[in-house]
Amino acid sequence: MGRFHRHADGTEHSHDGPDNTDPSTGDHEHGHEGHEHGREGHEHTGDHSGYATGTERVAVLERIFGENDKTAAANRASLAANGVRAVNLMSSPGAGKTTLLRETLARLKGEARIGIVEGDIETSLDADRLAGFGASVALVNTGNGFGGECHLDAPMVGSALPRLPLADLDLVLIENVGNLVCPAEFDVGEDARAMVYAITEGEEKPLKYPVMFRSCQLVVVNKIDLLPHLDFDMDGFLGNLRAVNPGATVIQASARTGEGVDAWCDWLRAQLAVPR
Amino acid sequence: MHELSLCGSIADIVSRHAEGRTVTVIHVQVGQLRQVVPDTLAFCWEMVSADTALDGSVIEVETVPARMRCRKCGHSDEVGDLPVFACHDCGGIDAEIIAGEEFMVTSLDLAAEPAGETGT
């Protein structure tokens, strides 16, 4: 099978077999101009059959998320030691997480002491929008020179937790980076996962991003104030959601008008009441 | 998308097990329910491994189909191409995933190391 790869100058190709490969070494020539490996002794191994003899195979059987999950367990333990519940809030960009959080802070002020971990690729825009509600906000900028991580992982959340006064909190809401793919893969030490889904995203997304939709206990179907203006088929969406995650709780809401936000706050209250 | 950071984790695991020997192939098992794109993983691996002791090694992905077992009737089956987690036999919707969430380094191929040919 060919191996697709790109070089530093942006050229890309795949190797379709051993035609230009010396099976004894795996060395091969690239027939196009404009790139060089820039380093002596660099070998690409386009055809692995040359390694069938003379190699040793060692068993590893190690989970790639192992390190992340270890840190997630440490985060969970540190939250539990302080009597704090954590909810990982995920969505596409623009689905309304930050607006929902603002409404949540306004409603739960004086009732629950809330800290926010705010994942934002480069800016403090979202954290700024949450200022003034009495919540502690720890910002995690995920930009790292490659355009930013597309998710929060357990070490990132672990680095943010000490910047929150955990001993004085009841609830930590982790606002993940807007993305329907990567955040689902990373346990950050949360007790529960919730999604904000905007009806402007269409009915089919649960089928396209089943891992994300399966990973959540709750889906807040947001922006329902726009229902009269869209062709959104709520029953179709709910059917798709049930197909991938039959057990998910669904709350229809509009963070803008406030409809359904109390039901979401009740769900958060129920999380706080779950005995450890 | 997150393949770059995953490659960092893979590099840690591989380095630990290789113990300084030259790695040629890293065998990785990826479940169908993991959102890892093999080509992207290979591309990110080139970036992450470049100019390290693992430079020149490649990742080979073994894809594991998703399987579920119905908690109602006990029927187990492949999930198939559509992400519909209802029992193919009784239509029950309470199914547990029994395969397809794997994501692990299963083994490494190490180069035979005649003197003087151990990479750079």
Side-chain angles (χ1 to χ4, degrees), chain A residues 49 60 105 121 166 213:
Chain A
S49 60
V60 175
L105 295 181
I121 289 181
L166 289 186
F213 282 89

Side-chain angles (χ1 to χ4, degrees), chain A residues 95 197-200 220-230 232 234 250-261:
Chain A
Y197 186 75
I199 60 170
T200 48
V220 176
V221 182
N222 193 26
K223 306 194 185 183
I224 57 166
D225 53 307
L226 296 178
L227 271 173
H229 309 289
L230 302 172
F232 183 75
M234 182 68 82
V250 174
I251 294 173
Q252 299 189 25
S254 165
R256 192 171 75 87
T257 67
E259 188 177 354
V261 176

Side-chain angles (χ1 to χ4, degrees), chain A residues 105 114-116 130-137 164 169:
Chain A
L105 295 181
I114 299 179
I116 309 267
L130 295 172
F133 289 93
S136 315
V137 180
L164 292 174
L169 296 179

Side-chain angles (χ1 to χ4, degrees), chain A:
Chain A
M1 196 174 97
R3 189 169 72 88
F4 173 85
H5 70 226
R6 281 171 218 156
H7 293 281
D9 64 352
T11 58
E12 39 185 70
H13 56 226
S14 76
H15 300 295
D16 287 318
D19 306 356
N20 56 357
T21 302
D22 176 349
S24 66
T25 64
D27 279 341
H28 64 233
E29 298 286 329
H30 294 311
H32 54 82
E33 293 181 356
H35 88 263
E36 53 187 27
H37 291 303
R39 198 169 70 72
E40 287 186 16
H42 183 120
E43 294 180 356
H44 282 296
T45 49
D47 171 29
H48 309 306
S49 60
Y51 290 103
T53 56
T55 61
E56 180 192 350
R57 179 166 292 186
V58 292
V60 175
L61 296 176
E62 195 165 321
R63 295 176 57 247
I64 293 164
F65 283 106
E67 277 302 309
N68 182 78
D69 292 352
K70 219 182 285 175
T71 310
N75 292 350
R76 194 168 278 119
S78 143
L79 289 159
N82 286 283
V84 180
R85 296 277 167 183
V87 174
N88 186 356
L89 190 60
M90 301 180 284
S91 80
S92 305
K97 290 189 300 299
T98 312
T99 306
L100 182 66
L101 283 184
R102 275 175 65 100
E103 293 301 311
T104 307
L105 295 181
R107 279 171 172 74
L108 295 180
K109 198 174 176 181
E111 180 186 338
R113 299 163 300 171
I114 299 179
I116 309 267
V117 174
E118 179 63 56
D120 198 329
I121 289 181
E122 296 285 358
T123 72
S124 66
L125 291 174
D126 284 353
D128 297 345
R129 286 170 63 195
L130 295 172
F133 289 93
S136 315
V137 180
L139 180 67
V140 185
N141 281 143
T142 58
N144 66 357
F146 283 103
E149 282 289 4
C150 40
H151 59 271
L152 292 178
D153 63 20
M156 289 185 224
V157 171
S159 75
L161 290 180
R163 289 185 275 125
L164 292 174
L166 289 186
D168 300 323
L169 296 179
D170 304 306
L171 176 66
V172 168
L173 296 170
I174 300 162
E175 183 176 351
N176 219 308
V177 180
N179 180 343
L180 290 185
V181 181
C182 315
E185 299 278 354
F186 291 86
D187 180 4
V188 297
E190 70 273 33
D191 296 297
R193 288 184 170 195
M195 256 190 95
V196 179
Y197 186 75
I199 60 170
T200 48
E201 298 177 62
E203 299 88 16
E204 78 292 0
K205 293 299 184 295
L207 301 180
K208 287 187 175 173
Y209 303 95
V211 178
M212 170 62 76
F213 282 89
R214 273 186 68 77
S215 79
C216 292
Q217 285 84 58
L218 171 77
V219 178
V220 176
V221 182
N222 193 26
K223 306 194 185 183
I224 57 166
D225 53 307
L226 296 178
L227 271 173
H229 309 289
L230 302 172
D231 295 328
F232 183 75
D233 171 7
M234 182 68 82
D235 289 338
F237 168 77
L238 294 174
N240 291 337
L241 176 61
R242 294 280 169 245
V244 301
N245 188 351
T249 302
V250 174
I251 294 173
Q252 299 189 25
S254 165
R256 192 171 75 87
T257 67
E259 188 177 354
V261 176
D262 285 333
W264 150 252
C265 289
D266 284 343
W267 184 84
L268 288 175
R269 289 184 183 100
Q271 299 305 306
L272 291 174
V274 176
R276 282 202 188 276

Side-chain angles (χ1 to χ4, degrees), chain B residues 26-77:
Chain B
I26 300 148
H27 297 274
V28 174
Q29 207 175 46
V30 179
Q32 188 188 340
L33 296 174
R34 288 292 176 190
Q35 305 171 103
V36 174
V37 181
D39 281 349
T40 310
L41 198 66
F43 169 56
C44 290
W45 180 251
E46 282 201 26
M47 288 205 294
V48 168
S49 63
D51 298 324
T52 73
L54 297 170
D55 201 340
S57 62
V58 296
I59 288 182
E60 287 207 343
V61 171
E62 175 203 349
T63 303
V64 182
R67 294 185 63 82
M68 61 184 177
R69 182 190 297 121
C70 178
R71 288 202 178 93
K72 194 172 155 201
C73 74
H75 178 73
S76 70
D77 206 347

Side-chain angles (χ1 to χ4, degrees), chain B:
Chain B
M1 299 174 84
H2 54 298
E3 281 81 354
L4 195 59
S5 52
L6 299 179
C7 282
S9 302
I10 293 172
D12 291 343
I13 293 170
V14 172
S15 301
R16 199 155 11 89
H17 286 269
E19 296 173 329
R21 291 166 293 177
T22 301
V23 178
T24 55
V25 184
I26 300 148
H27 297 274
V28 174
Q29 207 175 46
V30 179
Q32 188 188 340
L33 296 174
R34 288 292 176 190
Q35 305 171 103
V36 174
V37 181
D39 281 349
T40 310
L41 198 66
F43 169 56
C44 290
W45 180 251
E46 282 201 26
M47 288 205 294
V48 168
S49 63
D51 298 324
T52 73
L54 297 170
D55 201 340
S57 62
V58 296
I59 288 182
E60 287 207 343
V61 171
E62 175 203 349
T63 303
V64 182
R67 294 185 63 82
M68 61 184 177
R69 182 190 297 121
C70 178
R71 288 202 178 93
K72 194 172 155 201
C73 74
H75 178 73
S76 70
D77 206 347
E78 283 198 11
V79 173
D81 290 336
L82 269 180
V84 175
F85 295 87
C87 177
H88 295 177
D89 204 34
C90 77
I93 54 169
D94 186 14
E96 61 176 326
I97 301 299
I98 53 176
E101 295 183 323
E102 298 79 1
F103 189 41
M104 63 159 63
V105 178
T106 51
S107 64
L108 305 177
D109 288 354
L110 304 175
E113 304 205 19
E117 284 188 29
T118 56
T120 49

